[in-house]
């Protein structure tokens, strides 16, 4: 096991506090990237003590590549207005950051007040992200991880902890 249920709970409570302190004013919209972030988002928003809205994004890579191509399109586009709001994108795990970089470009066109990223896990590879996620749960080992929302072929998302697939 890489991160236990207790590790995750303790860190999520801290992240909630960091997020509450980082946004003293303005409208905050928490945008979870489905499906991987669904459990993290639901725990995280309950640890934040300031008003916020929650919505989700579904992103699909197109092309034939099995590796992230960075060529993304929004399959579910949030109906919530973004203009003038602080957007906090919530991602399960940042690997190359390619997907996130494209999503940030797309959403930036809607004139939010700010866009930041909160990732549960960060592999610290990040070849494509212009800057590191503002909020990170844990630095992750360079292994394939599952659980707490992360899947392998849609399995293991329900595990309350994060483990290496091996
Ligand atoms: P990136 O665009 O940063 O290269 O890829 C990020 C996406 O790849 C994550 O949202 C996640 O879906 C997937 N991913 C990267 N590393 C892992 C991993 O260790 N386990 C799982 N389950 N997915 C991963
Ligand atoms: Mg994902």
């Amino acid at each position: 096991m890489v991160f236990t249920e207790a590790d995750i709970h303790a860190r999520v409570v801290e992240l909630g506090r960091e997020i509450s302190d980082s946004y003293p004013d303005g409208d905050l919209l928490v945008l979870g990237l489905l499906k991987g972030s669904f459990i993290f988002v639901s725990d995280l928003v309950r640890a934040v003590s300031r008003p916020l809205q929650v919505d989700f994004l579904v992103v699909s890579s197109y092309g034939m590549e099995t590796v992230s191509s960075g060529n993304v399109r929004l399959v579910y586009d949030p109906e919530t207005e973004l203009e003038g709001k602080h957007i906090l994108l919530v991602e399960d795990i940042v690997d190359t950051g390619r997907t996130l970089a494209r999503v940030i470009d797309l959403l930036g066109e809607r004139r939010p007040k700010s866009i930041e990223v909160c990732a549960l896990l960060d592999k610290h590879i990040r070849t494509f992200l212009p800057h590191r996620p503002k909020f990170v749960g844990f630095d992750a080992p360079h292994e394939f991880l599952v659980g707490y929302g992360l899947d392998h072929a849609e399995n293991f998302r329900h595990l309350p902890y994060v483990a290496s697939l091996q």
Side-chain angles (χ1 to χ4, degrees), residues 11-153:
R11 188 67 189 116
V12 166
V13 168
E14 286 175 1
L15 283 172
R17 219 173 277 140
E18 286 176 37
I19 291 166
S20 307
D21 292 347
S22 296
Y23 296 100
D25 42 43
D27 295 327
L28 175 61
L29 173 63
V30 174
L31 267 184
L33 272 87
L34 290 177
K35 299 180 227 173
S37 73
F38 81 108
I39 293 178
F40 182 38
V41 168
S42 67
D43 284 344
L44 185 67
V45 293
R46 284 178 287 176
V48 175
S49 59
R50 58 104 72 215
L52 56 76
Q53 296 177 327
V54 183
D55 208 335
F56 291 93
L57 280 177
V58 180
V59 167
S60 165
S61 311
Y62 40 100
M64 300 294 284
E65 300 94 327
T66 47
V67 198
S68 160
S69 64
N71 198 2
V72 302
R73 115 192 118 89
L74 297 181
V75 176
Y76 171 74
D77 194 337
E79 280 156 18
T80 317
E81 179 70 48
L82 304 196
E83 188 168 342
K85 291 180 184 166
H86 295 297
I87 307 299
L88 183 61
L89 279 171
V90 180
E91 174 68 307
D92 51 358
I93 183 165
V94 176
D95 186 1
T96 66
R98 209 162 189 172
T99 316
L100 268 179
R102 276 299 293 140
V103 169
I104 291 168
D105 278 353
L106 278 173
L107 299 183
E109 292 165 8
R110 300 182 196 177
R111 310 183 346 132
K113 195 167 195 173
S114 67
I115 304 186
E116 297 289 355
V117 172
C118 177
L120 176 69
L121 300 161
D122 187 351
K123 284 190 173 168
H124 278 274
I125 299 176
R126 236 181 10 258
T127 340
F128 295 93
L129 263 192
H131 55 87
R132 65 169 277 127
K134 181 163 180 161
F135 308 97
V136 174
F138 304 99
D139 293 338
H142 293 179
E143 293 166 34
F144 195 82
L145 303 174
V146 295
Y148 198 73
L150 289 95
D151 74 308
H152 176 253

